[in-house]
Amino acid sequence: MSVYLHCLSHTPLIGHVDPAPTVLAEVDATIAAARERIARFDPELVILFSPDHYNGFFYDIMPSFCIGMAAHAIGDFGTAAGALPVPQALAEDCARSVLAQGVDAAVSYRMQVDHGFAQPLEFLLGGIDRVPVIPVFINSVAVPLPGFQRARLLGEAIGRFARSLDKRVLLLGSGGLSHQPPVPELATANEHLADRLKGSGRDLPAEEREARTQRVIAAARAFVEDQHSLYPLNPEWDRQFMATLAEGRLAELDGLGNEELSALAGKSANEVKAWVAAFAALSAFGPYGAAHDYYRAIPEWIAGFGSVSAAPLR
């Protein structure tokens, strides 16, 4: 039994609107070093916590959490498309264990995932099909949202399940940090967009998906020119959040409400609950230490971009 954790911001804008070459080199070096450490760890199972961006989960049925029994990546923004190698029987055991521990999580035998899941698998493992993976969705955009406490309890339950396995388990958290790209909201959507958010957007026509991609790219370019064209990034909060996780003070976040978080760091900062769940899962193995942290506010990617590794103290 062994476990290793890595949390990494994702962004669909990599390769579309990039920062200066020196910044890009920093990020590339950070990811390459993490990939090398993970390769040395040689995981036998990945448990990946990530949000969705109205590509796989919609308001026809919107769970707070969902564990995938099978999953397929759609390949948005140039990320990899195809089936994830989900070990179905093990994923079913995970879902049963989580429910038995009193945490409600939906299950899906036809989970559709986007860049939030595909990107960390590509960057950190070399592809979406390299290691068996149990995908765990955490709703981070569609209100009402789960709070920090529920994300922590989900992570702890999954961590206790992972601890029972005789496997090298890699815990990945994908998303955040501070950011608020132009994600649609049901409350302000027109009739056509509301229909998309309620489920018809599951299989968008190619031209509509490309238009959506171009809107995000245009918003990023505008944000580079004017940091007030979107909700501003909050590096101070991002670094404080990373320190809270690194120091094992996860429960301190329980009292931070979703609206307060959105006001501090942007509405899409709710994606950090994937990091909280991953660290909570690690905490089930005992005290841990964090290392190899990296942070930079990158307006080209509309993101406070962070990366951190952690492992149990021996």
Side-chain angles (χ1 to χ4, degrees), residues 1-2 44 161-169:
M1 177 193 72
S2 57
E44 297 172 286
F161 164 76
R163 194 179 62 196
S164 72
L165 304 175
D166 185 23
K167 291 181 180 295
R168 293 184 301 278
V169 179

Side-chain angles (χ1 to χ4, degrees), residues 193-234:
L193 183 53
D195 184 62
R196 291 288 190 243
L197 298 181
K198 292 174 184 177
S200 70
R202 188 168 277 105
D203 297 299
L204 280 181
E207 65 275 10
E208 195 168 337
R209 186 168 295 283
E210 178 60 20
R212 178 178 174 180
T213 298
Q214 292 304 320
R215 281 195 298 272
V216 177
I217 290 172
R221 288 175 175 155
F223 191 53
V224 172
E225 297 299 322
D226 178 6
Q227 302 285 297
H228 296 284
S229 63
L230 296 170
Y231 208 84
L233 305 179
N234 189 339

